[in-house]
Amino acid sequence: IRLAHIAAVMASGSLFLVRGLLVQSGHPEWALAAFPRYLSYAIDTALLTAALMLLTILPSAMFANGWLALKLALLPVYVGLGWLALRRGRTGRARLAYFAGALLVYGCIFIIARSHDPLGPLRLILDA
């Protein structure tokens, strides 16, 4: 289940990166076409399913330091910024800012998940 979750995380992030780059390069019709949208839905459904399965089998100690709660709290921020980057940003500059913000949040979620530390990327700076 863990490997399926990790694969879905990487596939989802990679697909978002490609779709965002297509929007940024002036080809939103390709990024928003049926195939990449439905592929995104399928990947994200697999990701959510694996996440819920992991949540049910994790020991309660996994919730002790708050890394998982922060990761889950950042998820709607990532989704919202991604939605604005691909569909709702009114100007190219706004879409770029939303895209960069979504990638930054994705990176934070990834580092938090890998380190099991709620400080995530800040811990890398503080320990340097």
Side-chain angles (χ1 to χ4, degrees), residues 54-74:
L54 284 171
L55 196 59
T56 62
I57 63 174
L58 285 174
S60 60
M62 294 297 287
F63 305 97
N65 77 353
W67 72 268
L68 189 56
L70 181 58
K71 186 178 121 169
L72 293 173
L74 287 173

Side-chain angles (χ1 to χ4, degrees), residues 13-84:
S14 298
L15 183 58
F16 173 70
L17 177 65
V18 169
R19 291 178 72 200
L21 291 173
L22 284 169
V23 168
Q24 291 304 312
S25 67
H27 298 288
E29 65 281 357
W30 293 351
L32 302 175
F35 179 73
R37 279 188 301 120
Y38 291 128
L39 181 59
S40 177
Y41 300 155
I43 292 169
D44 291 344
T45 299
L47 176 59
L48 181 59
T49 301
L52 291 174
M53 291 171 73
L54 284 171
L55 196 59
T56 62
I57 63 174
L58 285 174
S60 60
M62 294 297 287
F63 305 97
N65 77 353
W67 72 268
L68 189 56
L70 181 58
K71 186 178 121 169
L72 293 173
L74 287 173
L75 187 60
V77 176
Y78 166 67
V79 170
L81 288 170
W83 178 69
L84 291 167

